[in-house]
Amino acid sequence: MAELFGFEIKRKGQEQANTSEPVSFAAPSPDDGALQVTATGGSYGQYVDLEGTAKNEAELVTRYRKMSIQPEVDVAIDDIVNEAIVNDPRERVIDINVDNLEQPSRVKKLIVEEFTKIYKLLSLADSSYDTFKKWYIDGRLYYHAMIDDKEPSGGIKELRYIDPRKIRKVREIKKVKENNVVVTKVTKEYYIYADKGFNSKSSATPDPMGQGVNGLRIAKDSIVHVTSGLMDENNRMVLSHLHKAIKPLNQLQVLEDAAVIYRISRAPERRIFYIDVGNLPKMKAEQYLADMMTKHKNRLVYDAADGSIRDDRKFMTMLEDFWLPRREGGRGTEITTLPGGQNLGEMDDIEYFKKKLFRSLNVPISRLESDAGFTLGRASEISRDELKFSKFVSRLRMRFSQLFDKCLEKQLVLKGICTTEEWYDMKDFIRYDFVEDNHFSELKSTEILRERLQTLNDIEQHEGKYFSRDWVRRNVLKLTNEEIESIETEIEIEKDNGEEFQDGEDPENGNNFDQ
């Protein structure tokens, strides 16, 4: 097998030596959208037909990006990203929390320091909004982790963004029979990068040797790959959160175009001319009708270039008058008016599909209406849509945090702070705190604190008799051991500082106001 580009954290021969893996008859179902190929050169093709327009992931990403520039979709995306990423000049947009990690304080400090480096490599201080928006729209993020080959212990030197339309993940699998059960085993995983992208023709599944397409094979550890976690019905292709809005957006655009066409065609009032042609033969009657049309037709056109008005009589359109011949014996020449459309102002259908589009994007309708007010009240007054939206944003943050997990894993293993096995034991206890700006979360926290303080006032008279102070702190105020110790220390410091100043003395300047 040809050598892969990039670095591999695992030692050579480790995969072949590892034979103690558990065996299952059910094949794994990862959510990374990797292209699975058999070790013998056959392949499992990927295909999803979105109304006959998208044949592979590259076309799918392009379609998502086209959707994102539509006004209604752009408003919804902006609201979601603004809720998930809050820029605060006083603190980091995203910070790491290692309080629950059962490791020595030295290791915790090193993890925090390495996260700070990852934070800078990703330029989250300046481009966190754009990074999260790319991930939300495309449904996937790819970064090339670049290291110094001569000194890999120095960690990641640069994280370079890769267009998802130019890179694919490939997973080689092999089916073997164990205990009379056919099981699927992964033999190799790598990425293929094609500078010209994967179009419909070149998207044929690459063979295990990487010769199916003209691309560069890259080691798995050299790429940081994060997806939305959404898969198609065949569990083959990664989807974006915009995928469920494709049909509502198409319906809305078609209906808007139809409304415009209807208004243009039905807005003007047109006249109907019934011309008496008597007993004239058919040829002469048509000539007479044409002469009357030329005589009465008036096409005054305003020329915006020079401000003049000219008469264009030679043009005739379907939006103008109707000329109909009438034979002898009927009524004479008659001119009537065909009224224009009477229901041109009805937009109920468009409003329905617009709301349907917003619902498909999980954004509360009230947030997208310009005349809707913003009310601050108790949590009991928060709408159900706001509660669902808050939970949706929380799920997005948790999924997006996998970007930091994968970057931090490579950084810690390369620097020798921990091994891959130790990282998998630690990562479940590491959390990432995003700056909050959701008014529901703020109101909920405030109301919870208010209720706890009210309960504290009610139980204070029983403190020391039925309840201890430590029990009240843990069960009423819900304080942790670290918070209790920190609060006790702060109280002692405040008491000591207060005793240093005598009555009538300014604590800041030391001035005595009694003089």
Side-chain angles (χ1 to χ4, degrees):
M1 182 176 293
E3 190 72 19
L4 298 177
F5 178 85
F7 65 92
E8 289 186 276
I9 295 178
K10 295 182 179 180
R11 294 186 297 272
K12 292 185 178 180
Q14 182 178 357
E15 294 176 342
Q16 291 78 359
N18 188 7
T19 58
S20 60
E21 296 182 355
V23 178
S24 173
F25 60 88
S29 56
D31 57 1
D32 55 2
L35 183 66
Q36 295 188 358
V37 298
T38 60
T40 58
S43 63
Y44 295 96
Q46 295 193 59
Y47 178 84
V48 60
D49 187 10
L50 300 174
E51 301 176 2
T53 56
K55 304 300 181 183
N56 53 33
E57 287 193 356
E59 294 182 12
L60 202 58
V61 171
T62 302
R63 181 164 189 175
Y64 292 148
R65 293 182 179 182
K66 290 181 179 179
M67 289 176 60
S68 66
I69 63 177
Q70 299 299 323
E72 293 83 5
V73 179
D74 180 66
V75 170
I77 293 175
D78 186 66
D79 201 72
I80 292 172
V81 179
N82 281 333
E83 201 66 51
I85 303 296
V86 180
N87 291 314
D88 191 338
R90 298 170 296 180
E91 54 184 325
R92 286 181 181 174
V93 178
I94 305 164
D95 209 346
I96 191 171
N97 188 327
V98 294
D99 294 341
N100 297 328
L101 191 60
E102 296 180 356
Q103 294 289 335
S105 57
R106 180 185 64 83
V107 177
K108 292 183 180 180
K109 183 178 179 181
L110 290 175
I111 293 175
V112 173
E113 291 177 354
E114 297 305 325
F115 174 78
T116 302
K117 296 179 181 178
I118 296 297
Y119 186 89
K120 294 179 180 178
L121 290 174
L122 291 172
S123 301
L124 294 179
D126 301 324
S127 60
S128 56
Y129 177 93
D130 298 327
T131 303
F132 190 91
K133 187 175 181 179
K134 287 178 182 177
W135 171 80
Y136 181 80
I137 294 175
D138 296 345
R140 65 215 82 197
L141 271 181
Y142 291 90
Y143 282 95
H144 181 202
M146 304 169 63
I147 66 172
D148 187 355
D149 295 334
K150 298 181 180 179
E151 189 180 356
S153 60
I156 301 174
K157 300 299 182 181
E158 182 181 352
L159 287 169
R160 184 169 298 178
Y161 174 75
I162 304 175
D163 192 324
R165 296 172 295 184
K166 298 182 178 181
I167 191 169
R168 292 292 304 276
K169 186 176 184 180
V170 178
R171 180 181 294 111
E172 293 184 13
I173 61 174
K174 179 175 65 174
K175 292 188 176 182
V176 297
K177 192 173 183 179
E178 296 185 4
N179 299 327
N180 295 325
V181 177
V182 178
V183 297
T184 302
K185 289 189 174 182
V186 178
T187 60
K188 190 69 175 179
E189 288 183 331
Y190 53 88
Y191 291 85
I192 292 183
Y193 176 80
D195 186 59
K196 295 182 180 180
F198 297 91
N199 52 34
S200 300
K201 295 182 179 180
S202 66
S203 62
T205 54
D207 58 51
M209 300 304 295
Q211 304 299 325
V213 295
N214 295 325
L216 176 66
R217 295 200 314 148
I218 307 172
K220 183 185 69 171
D221 294 327
S222 296
I223 301 296
V224 179
H225 180 205
V226 182
T227 66
S228 65
L230 303 179
M231 304 292 293
D232 66 341
E233 63 276 7
N234 297 320
N235 202 34
R236 298 282 181 83
M237 187 173 290
V238 177
L239 304 179
S240 166
H241 286 276
L242 297 181
H243 189 82
K244 55 184 176 296
I246 291 178
K247 186 174 181 179
L249 178 60
N250 289 338
Q251 291 173 331
L252 178 63
Q253 290 177 334
V254 170
L255 202 59
E256 287 178 341
D257 293 340
V260 172
I261 295 172
Y262 178 73
R263 287 194 174 197
I264 293 176
S265 62
R266 293 293 294 149
E269 291 186 353
R270 288 162 290 183
R271 295 170 297 179
I272 303 177
F273 290 80
Y274 294 96
I275 304 299
D276 184 10
V277 296
N279 292 324
L280 293 176
K282 183 177 182 299
M283 296 295 294
K284 290 185 176 290
E286 292 178 355
Q287 182 63 40
Y288 177 69
L289 185 63
D291 293 340
M292 294 295 293
M293 290 170 58
T294 305
K295 181 179 179 181
H296 293 89
K297 183 166 57 174
N298 184 18
R299 282 292 301 259
L300 295 180
V301 179
Y302 173 76
D303 191 349
D306 54 7
S308 61
I309 297 177
R310 65 177 186 270
D311 185 8
D312 292 341
R313 293 177 178 267
K314 61 181 179 179
F315 298 105
M316 182 73 177
T317 67
M318 290 300 295
L319 296 181
E320 290 189 345
D321 303 328
F322 296 93
W323 298 79
L324 304 174
R326 178 174 288 174
R327 289 292 180 180
E328 183 182 7
R331 290 174 293 179
T333 300
E334 179 184 353
I335 301 176
T336 60
T337 302
L338 183 66
Q342 302 299 321
N343 57 346
L344 299 179
E346 294 183 2
M347 304 291 289
D348 294 340
D349 293 343
I350 294 180
E351 291 297 327
Y352 167 77
F353 283 104
K354 185 180 294 186
K355 290 181 179 180
K356 185 178 179 181
L357 173 63
F358 292 154
R359 290 192 186 98
S360 67
L361 295 170
N362 296 334
V363 178
I365 304 297
S366 58
R367 285 175 170 251
L368 303 168
E369 295 175 354
S370 58
D371 55 345
F374 182 79
T375 304
L376 291 175
R378 296 174 64 88
S380 59
E381 301 172 0
I382 299 297
S383 65
R384 182 170 176 267
D385 289 341
E386 283 292 339
L387 175 60
K388 292 174 61 178
F389 183 66
S390 176
K391 293 183 177 180
F392 172 68
V393 172
S394 298
R395 293 196 302 271
L396 292 179
R397 286 172 169 174
M398 290 180 62
R399 187 71 189 186
F400 182 72
S401 297
Q402 290 188 4
L403 173 64
F404 314 126
D405 276 341
K406 295 184 178 181
C407 292
L408 200 56
E409 174 192 359
K410 300 181 190 303
Q411 185 78 347
L412 296 179
V413 173
L414 287 171
K415 290 200 168 185
I417 298 176
C418 69
T419 63
T420 303
E421 292 76 13
E422 292 173 343
W423 166 255
Y424 281 108
D425 293 336
M426 293 189 301
K427 72 172 186 176
D428 292 335
F429 301 97
I430 296 177
R431 301 197 313 271
Y432 301 95
D433 297 332
F434 291 73
V435 178
E436 293 286 346
D437 192 31
N438 188 291
H439 63 276
F440 170 77
S441 300
E442 296 178 3
L443 292 174
K444 183 178 178 181
S445 301
T446 303
E447 186 168 342
I448 289 175
L449 180 60
R450 185 187 300 112
E451 293 295 334
R452 289 177 180 175
L453 293 177
Q454 182 64 37
T455 305
L456 181 63
N457 291 332
D458 296 339
I459 207 174
E460 188 175 7
Q461 56 183 335
H462 304 291
E463 186 178 326
K465 184 177 180 181
Y466 298 106
F467 307 99
S468 65
R469 177 177 296 181
D470 185 67
W471 186 93
V472 171
R473 288 179 173 179
R474 297 179 186 276
N475 296 276
V476 177
L477 297 179
K478 305 295 184 182
L479 298 177
T480 63
N481 293 332
E482 293 79 5
E483 291 174 339
I484 293 175
E485 294 177 0
S486 176
I487 291 174
E488 289 286 356
T489 303
E490 292 174 358
I491 292 176
E492 293 296 329
I493 294 175
E494 291 175 356
K495 287 182 179 180
D496 295 339
N497 292 337
E499 294 176 355
E500 293 178 0
F501 305 104
Q502 298 179 356
D503 294 339
E505 186 176 343
D506 185 0
E508 296 183 358
N509 301 322
N511 297 328
N512 194 328
F513 297 107
D514 294 338
Q515 295 178 356

